[in-house]
Amino acid sequence: MDELLEQLKSEIPAIFAATELDNLTGKAIRWRTIQNIRANKALSEAEAIPDKCFLKAGKRKILIVRDPFLEWWLTHVVTFCDC
């Protein structure tokens, strides 16, 4: 998992527009899905995406902070399997 994290960090900018998430991850992580998770008020604090993963630029533009976001993603979404 550390190798995957390092590879993603080398490919993705430290801060980027959330709308670029699909392109930057080869559609492995979809912005639309992340928006649905963020909007789900039924999730516990442990399941929800931490606020530190996002910044607001202006009134509407959302930025993603790469490192905390990838750490959340790797611990909450990705599971490794013998596929």
Side-chain angles (χ1 to χ4, degrees):
M1 186 156 73
D2 291 335
E3 185 179 324
L4 176 60
L5 181 59
E6 290 307 314
Q7 185 176 0
L8 287 168
K9 285 182 178 182
S10 71
E11 298 288 329
I12 299 174
I15 298 174
F16 57 94
T19 55
E20 291 300 312
L21 184 62
D22 295 20
N23 295 330
L24 290 170
T25 64
K27 297 186 181 181
I29 310 172
R30 304 296 301 260
W31 174 234
R32 183 175 178 163
T33 302
I34 298 302
Q35 287 177 300
N36 288 336
I37 294 170
R38 290 180 71 210
N40 187 346
K41 302 299 181 196
L43 292 176
S44 70
E45 189 175 326
E47 296 171 312
I49 305 171
D51 290 339
K52 67 181 179 180
C53 296
F54 304 99
L55 297 173
K56 200 167 191 179
K59 291 184 178 183
R60 298 188 65 203
K61 189 172 189 173
I62 304 296
L63 304 175
I64 295 179
V65 182
R66 178 196 64 205
D67 292 351
F69 178 79
L70 289 177
E71 289 170 15
W72 169 84
W73 185 71
L74 286 170
T75 57
H76 288 84
V77 179
V78 175
T79 54
F80 292 92
C81 64
D82 296 327
C83 301

